[in-house]
Amino acid sequence: LSTNQLDDNDAISIASALKHNTNLQHLDVGSNQITDSGWKALHKAEFDDKSLTSAADCNHTCFIMGHTFEINGDPDTNDPFHRSALRSKKIYSVLSARNKECSNVQHLEDGDTPIQFLPDILGAIQRYSEYNQGDNSPS
């Protein structure tokens, strides 16, 4: 879809479709007329960090080309975060940001996090806290 004069409305429509599409792996929307609001909508489809639920429910399979989104990595590199691990990486990123604010307990107590996410949360913490002991850090 690159070089097709797509605009923000097109990007928002594509982002909406990506929320439910788990088959598409690469999408090139570069060289279009997409501004920051369109890119934000596309990024949110890949990684919505508003809550643990939204992070877990976003698209974990599509790499959007044409703009840099750190969370899904580059499909042409040996990124240590395989696509099957992206959900855990995103959950960990939300937890890590909340930890800096000392607000994880508040969110867990407020019922923001469904109980069925606890195994994913604990797995993400274990996996990425060990990984981050070196110079590595998820986006």
Side-chain angles (χ1 to χ4, degrees):
L1 294 176
S2 67
T3 322
N4 273 298
Q5 299 183 11
L6 300 177
D7 61 16
D8 290 339
N9 290 328
D10 298 316
I12 291 167
S13 295
I14 292 168
S16 178
L18 285 176
K19 290 181 182 180
H20 307 289
N21 184 315
T22 57
N23 295 315
L24 187 63
Q25 294 182 358
H26 298 89
L27 177 65
D28 187 352
V29 290
S31 300
N32 281 297
Q33 299 169 353
I34 300 173
T35 67
D36 282 345
S37 63
W39 288 117
K40 286 177 185 176
L42 289 167
H43 182 255
K44 190 174 180 179
E46 273 192 335
F47 180 42
D48 182 357
D49 63 353
K50 184 174 65 174
S51 70
L52 288 172
T53 303
S54 61
D57 289 345
C58 60
N59 187 304
H60 307 297
T61 59
C62 185
F63 175 75
I64 300 174
M65 294 171 274
H67 199 273
T68 304
F69 298 130
E70 301 281 331
I71 198 73
N72 279 358
D74 183 343
D76 298 325
T77 66
N78 293 323
D79 186 2
F81 299 111
H82 187 269
R83 295 210 181 282
S84 64
L86 282 174
R87 184 173 190 256
S88 293
K89 179 184 176 188
K90 293 171 185 181
I91 289 171
Y92 181 81
S93 293
V94 172
L95 290 169
S96 180
R98 288 180 179 177
N99 187 53
K100 291 176 185 174
E101 301 167 357
C102 298
S103 66
N104 273 323
V105 172
Q106 172 192 352
H107 288 281
L108 293 172
E109 287 178 345
D110 289 345
D112 175 46
T113 307
I115 193 82
Q116 63 265 29
F117 281 160
L118 287 180
D120 292 328
I121 291 169
L122 296 174
I125 291 169
Q126 180 180 4
R127 180 178 187 150
Y128 296 108
S129 62
E130 290 171 0
Y131 177 80
N132 289 325
Q133 288 178 359
D135 293 333
N136 304 302
S137 177
S139 303

